[in-house]
Amino acid sequence: MKVTVKYFASIREALGPQESIEAPEGSTVGSLRALLQSRSGAHAEALAPGRALRAALDQTLCDESAPLRDGAEVAFFPPVTGG
């Protein structure tokens, strides 16, 4: 299934604004993150397992267990704090 991935803030600076990827059926946001980490060293660093990131699926915040569907949009961004 085809998924659009968008990146924001520091992740966008490292990887660009967005990309499309083919994900296996039954994928979740977490398995997509792992698949993306294998694309390049920059992906591995920006999306590293220990790095605090938030995710949104079709513009709704979600956790990594959220299931993907064909045509989904997933966004990754660092946590936001107030000031």
Side-chain angles (χ1 to χ4, degrees), residues 27-64:
S27 292
T28 63
V29 171
S31 64
L32 175 67
R33 182 176 175 178
L35 178 63
L36 288 164
Q37 289 168 6
S38 69
R39 291 192 94 165
S40 73
H43 283 80
E45 184 177 333
L47 302 169
R51 185 168 180 187
L53 294 179
R54 298 297 311 255
L57 176 59
D58 295 325
Q59 300 183 3
T60 301
L61 287 175
C62 66
D63 63 28
E64 292 199 347

